[in-house]
Amino acid sequence: MDLTSLDPQQLQQVYTSLSQEVEYLTNSLAQLKSAQEKFNSSKKLLSNISPENNGKETLVPMTSSLYVPGIIDTNDKVLVDVGTGYYIEQTVEAAGSFFERRVQYLKTKIQELQPLVIAKMREKNMVEEVIKAKMTTK
């Protein structure tokens, strides 16, 4: 599409649309990165489950802001939140593998989304430049 052939009102509509897309994609990217960090954190926490920590007190995260006291029991099984409120009992090794698969999946999705975000930002900037150019010629 030749941006210079559009009138200022059409350019503003294109700019608004691109701004909304960029905001949505940026938020999506941030959510993917946040989820990736949570899976990485969960995987690292699995290392705390060892025989020397058996019986020690800890705080168990129920949500991002709610923790309840608990005692570490090293029976080599953990509950893994697999989404939408479902939990599965798995071995520490299986849970680590699950978290690693999720991290890799999210890494792939982030790598796919980043170029799209950059492209949309460039498009938005181009439209903004055309708007500025049209405003200065008036």
Side-chain angles (χ1 to χ4, degrees), residues 34-62:
S34 174
Q36 185 182 38
E37 289 173 18
K38 287 179 184 178
F39 283 121
N40 268 326
S41 175
S42 295
K43 184 178 175 195
K44 288 178 187 174
L45 288 173
L46 289 176
S47 65
N48 291 336
I49 300 175
S50 60
E52 58 267 6
N53 289 330
N54 193 20
K56 289 186 179 177
E57 289 187 15
T58 188
L59 290 176
V60 179
M62 299 305 287

Side-chain angles (χ1 to χ4, degrees), residues 52-113:
E52 58 267 6
N53 289 330
N54 193 20
K56 289 186 179 177
E57 289 187 15
T58 188
L59 290 176
V60 179
M62 299 305 287
T63 67
S64 61
S65 60
L66 174 66
Y67 290 79
V68 295
I71 296 175
I72 297 175
D73 180 15
T74 57
N75 67 357
D76 199 36
K77 298 275 186 180
V78 293
L79 283 178
V80 177
D81 182 355
V82 294
T84 62
Y86 289 96
Y87 294 85
I88 296 176
E89 185 176 54
Q90 293 184 321
T91 65
V92 172
E93 294 80 23
S97 177
F98 171 80
F99 293 137
E100 183 57 32
R101 285 192 312 274
R102 291 291 179 224
V103 166
Q104 292 306 315
Y105 174 78
L106 291 170
K107 180 181 177 182
T108 301
K109 292 301 173 189
I110 289 168
Q111 289 172 343
E112 290 173 4
L113 189 56

